[in-house]
């Protein structure tokens, strides 16, 4: 996974947008990076790194979940976006100490169990007997979703689960693994913004009549 700058465009269309610095924990858990692929930026702008089939294919390839140049269709991108929302719902419920939503549990379990087990056996004059996927792109997406779901399940039930947190700098919507008890920011930029907001609030209170 690459993290270069903290600038971004509002839509992941056309040329690849600059990538955000990964939130703490995203290098360890691709599911956390997946959950953070839709976010709100300062000023209320939104960024979706899976906004288009091309952007989704690029995101998967950068994380070695698909070969470079994979040609996805919108239905494939939509499936991944739908799974992402359910992963986010499970992370949010874990952080808040609420019951896990049944819809999200069902979606994650479906993704875990639908990955193809084997390629089919075919024969033709030129190649003789050989193995091929029945539906190559669909099976590729099924595999990627299974990997993401398995990592999400590990994240939510493993030793890192207690460190899950939402970024504490509004309007950021990213999740992270706290590096220590007090850290609730996904980046230096968000931390600076949160400290500036607190300083402004203190000055405002001190100046009030």
């Amino acid at each position: 996974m690459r993290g270069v700058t903290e600038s971004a465009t509002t839509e992941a269309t056309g040329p690849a947008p600059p990538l955000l610095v990964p939130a703490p924990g995203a290098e360890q858990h691709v599911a956390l990076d997946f959950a953070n692929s839709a976010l709100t930026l300062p000023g209320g702008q939104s960024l979706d790194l899976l906004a288009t089939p091309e952007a989704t294919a690029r995101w998967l390839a950068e994380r070695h979940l698909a070969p470079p140049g994979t040609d996805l269709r919108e239905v494939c991108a939509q499936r991944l976006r739908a799974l992402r929302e359910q992963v986010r719902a499970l992370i949010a419920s874990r952080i808040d100490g609420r019951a896990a939503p049944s819809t999200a549990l069902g979606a994650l379990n479906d993704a875990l169990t639908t990955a193809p087990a084997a390629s089919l056996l075919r024969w033709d004059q030129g190649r003789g007997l050989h193995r091929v996927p029945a539906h190559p792109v669909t099976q590729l997406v099924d595999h990627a979703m299974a990997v993401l779901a398995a990592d999400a399940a590990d994240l939510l039930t493993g030793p890192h689960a207690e460190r899950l947190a939402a970024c504490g700098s509004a309007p950021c919507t990213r999740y992270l693994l706290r590096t220590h008890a007090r850290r609730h920011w996904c980046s230096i930029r968000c931390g600076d913004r949160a400290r500036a907001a607190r300083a402004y609030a203190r000055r405002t209170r001190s100046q009030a009549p």
Side-chain angles (χ1 to χ4, degrees), residues 40-44 167-173 184-185 190 193-194 197:
T40 301
L41 301 171
C167 182
S169 180
C172 184
T173 56
H184 286 79
W185 305 307
C190 276
R193 189 165 61 245

mmCIF file of all heavy atoms in Angstrom, residues 40-44 167-173 184-185 190 193-194 197:
data_model
loop_
_atom_site.group_PDB
_atom_site.id
_atom_site.type_symbol
_atom_site.label_atom_id
_atom_site.label_comp_id
_atom_site.label_asym_id
_atom_site.label_seq_id
_atom_site.Cartn_x
_atom_site.Cartn_y
_atom_site.Cartn_z
ATOM 1 N N THR A 40 -14.910 11.786 4.452
ATOM 2 C CA THR A 40 -15.265 13.199 4.355
ATOM 3 C C THR A 40 -14.024 14.023 4.647
ATOM 4 O O THR A 40 -13.311 13.765 5.617
ATOM 5 C CB THR A 40 -16.374 13.549 5.353
ATOM 6 O OG1 THR A 40 -17.520 12.734 5.073
ATOM 7 C CG2 THR A 40 -16.762 15.022 5.234
ATOM 8 N N LEU A 41 -13.780 15.015 3.806
ATOM 9 C CA LEU A 41 -12.602 15.863 3.917
ATOM 10 C C LEU A 41 -12.973 17.205 4.554
ATOM 11 O O LEU A 41 -14.157 17.564 4.625
ATOM 12 C CB LEU A 41 -12.005 16.103 2.530
ATOM 13 C CG LEU A 41 -11.586 14.843 1.762
ATOM 14 C CD1 LEU A 41 -11.216 15.203 0.324
ATOM 15 C CD2 LEU A 41 -10.426 14.165 2.452
ATOM 16 N N PRO A 42 -11.992 17.969 5.019
ATOM 17 C CA PRO A 42 -12.284 19.308 5.533
ATOM 18 C C PRO A 42 -13.067 20.128 4.511
ATOM 19 O O PRO A 42 -12.805 20.050 3.320
ATOM 20 C CB PRO A 42 -10.886 19.893 5.771
ATOM 21 C CG PRO A 42 -10.019 18.707 6.002
ATOM 22 C CD PRO A 42 -10.563 17.618 5.124
ATOM 23 N N GLY A 43 -14.032 20.873 5.004
ATOM 24 C CA GLY A 43 -14.875 21.643 4.111
ATOM 25 C C GLY A 43 -16.098 20.879 3.655
ATOM 26 O O GLY A 43 -16.912 21.385 2.885
ATOM 27 N N GLY A 44 -16.240 19.640 4.128
ATOM 28 C CA GLY A 44 -17.415 18.854 3.783
ATOM 29 C C GLY A 44 -17.329 18.120 2.461
ATOM 30 O O GLY A 44 -18.301 17.494 2.040
ATOM 31 N N CYS A 167 -11.761 8.622 14.053
ATOM 32 C CA CYS A 167 -10.979 9.847 14.117
ATOM 33 C C CYS A 167 -11.783 10.919 14.851
ATOM 34 O O CYS A 167 -12.960 11.139 14.564
ATOM 35 C CB CYS A 167 -10.617 10.320 12.710
ATOM 36 S SG CYS A 167 -9.588 11.821 12.688
ATOM 37 N N GLY A 168 -11.116 11.584 15.805
ATOM 38 C CA GLY A 168 -11.807 12.563 16.636
ATOM 39 C C GLY A 168 -11.789 13.975 16.098
ATOM 40 O O GLY A 168 -12.099 14.909 16.835
ATOM 41 N N SER A 169 -11.425 14.137 14.821
ATOM 42 C CA SER A 169 -11.363 15.471 14.240
ATOM 43 C C SER A 169 -12.452 15.621 13.189
ATOM 44 O O SER A 169 -12.315 15.132 12.070
ATOM 45 C CB SER A 169 -9.980 15.706 13.611
ATOM 46 O OG SER A 169 -9.906 16.994 13.035
ATOM 47 N N ALA A 170 -13.555 16.277 13.556
ATOM 48 C CA ALA A 170 -14.638 16.488 12.600
ATOM 49 C C ALA A 170 -14.143 17.360 11.445
ATOM 50 O O ALA A 170 -13.319 18.259 11.658
ATOM 51 C CB ALA A 170 -15.818 17.164 13.305
ATOM 52 N N PRO A 171 -14.612 17.096 10.209
ATOM 53 C CA PRO A 171 -15.639 16.127 9.828
ATOM 54 C C PRO A 171 -15.074 14.791 9.362
ATOM 55 O O PRO A 171 -15.763 14.032 8.682
ATOM 56 C CB PRO A 171 -16.312 16.838 8.649
ATOM 57 C CG PRO A 171 -15.156 17.518 7.959
ATOM 58 C CD PRO A 171 -14.227 17.968 9.071
ATOM 59 N N CYS A 172 -13.837 14.466 9.693
ATOM 60 C CA CYS A 172 -13.203 13.240 9.215
ATOM 61 C C CYS A 172 -14.022 12.016 9.624
ATOM 62 O O CYS A 172 -14.511 11.943 10.762
ATOM 63 C CB CYS A 172 -11.781 13.125 9.752
ATOM 64 S SG CYS A 172 -10.891 11.684 9.122
ATOM 65 N N THR A 173 -14.150 11.060 8.721
ATOM 66 C CA THR A 173 -14.939 9.856 8.974
ATOM 67 C C THR A 173 -14.083 8.591 8.936
ATOM 68 O O THR A 173 -14.612 7.493 8.829
ATOM 69 C CB THR A 173 -16.070 9.737 7.932
ATOM 70 O OG1 THR A 173 -15.500 9.763 6.609
ATOM 71 C CG2 THR A 173 -17.074 10.866 8.076
ATOM 72 N N HIS A 184 -6.677 9.754 19.020
ATOM 73 C CA HIS A 184 -7.909 9.476 18.313
ATOM 74 C C HIS A 184 -7.929 10.175 16.959
ATOM 75 O O HIS A 184 -8.986 10.492 16.437
ATOM 76 C CB HIS A 184 -9.128 9.917 19.138
ATOM 77 C CG HIS A 184 -9.430 9.015 20.282
ATOM 78 N ND1 HIS A 184 -8.736 9.048 21.463
ATOM 79 C CD2 HIS A 184 -10.352 8.023 20.421
ATOM 80 C CE1 HIS A 184 -9.225 8.136 22.296
ATOM 81 N NE2 HIS A 184 -10.192 7.509 21.686
ATOM 82 N N TRP A 185 -6.774 10.451 16.402
ATOM 83 C CA TRP A 185 -6.705 11.127 15.120
ATOM 84 C C TRP A 185 -6.076 10.206 14.095
ATOM 85 O O TRP A 185 -5.125 9.474 14.387
ATOM 86 C CB TRP A 185 -5.895 12.421 15.226
ATOM 87 C CG TRP A 185 -6.423 13.342 16.278
ATOM 88 C CD1 TRP A 185 -7.694 13.780 16.415
ATOM 89 C CD2 TRP A 185 -5.672 13.928 17.342
ATOM 90 N NE1 TRP A 185 -7.808 14.604 17.512
ATOM 91 C CE2 TRP A 185 -6.569 14.721 18.097
ATOM 92 C CE3 TRP A 185 -4.336 13.874 17.731
ATOM 93 C CZ2 TRP A 185 -6.188 15.444 19.211
ATOM 94 C CZ3 TRP A 185 -3.938 14.588 18.847
ATOM 95 C CH2 TRP A 185 -4.862 15.363 19.574
ATOM 96 N N CYS A 190 -5.244 15.844 10.871
ATOM 97 C CA CYS A 190 -6.459 15.857 11.682
ATOM 98 C C CYS A 190 -6.150 16.236 13.128
ATOM 99 O O CYS A 190 -6.936 16.933 13.774
ATOM 100 C CB CYS A 190 -7.139 14.491 11.613
ATOM 101 S SG CYS A 190 -8.206 14.275 10.161
ATOM 102 N N ARG A 193 -5.760 19.945 13.315
ATOM 103 C CA ARG A 193 -7.050 20.610 13.187
ATOM 104 C C ARG A 193 -7.848 20.512 14.483
ATOM 105 O O ARG A 193 -8.485 21.478 14.917
ATOM 106 C CB ARG A 193 -7.839 20.002 12.022
ATOM 107 C CG ARG A 193 -9.101 20.784 11.670
ATOM 108 C CD ARG A 193 -9.647 20.389 10.310
ATOM 109 N NE ARG A 193 -10.013 18.982 10.277
ATOM 110 C CZ ARG A 193 -9.410 18.068 9.521
ATOM 111 N NH1 ARG A 193 -8.397 18.417 8.740
ATOM 112 N NH2 ARG A 193 -9.801 16.818 9.521
ATOM 113 N N ALA A 194 -7.794 19.345 15.142
ATOM 114 C CA ALA A 194 -8.518 19.174 16.404
ATOM 115 C C ALA A 194 -7.943 20.071 17.495
ATOM 116 O O ALA A 194 -8.688 20.688 18.260
ATOM 117 C CB ALA A 194 -8.467 17.705 16.830
ATOM 118 N N ALA A 197 -8.997 23.617 16.881
ATOM 119 C CA ALA A 197 -10.402 23.829 17.229
ATOM 120 C C ALA A 197 -10.572 23.975 18.740
ATOM 121 O O ALA A 197 -11.337 24.822 19.217
ATOM 122 C CB ALA A 197 -11.252 22.669 16.707
#
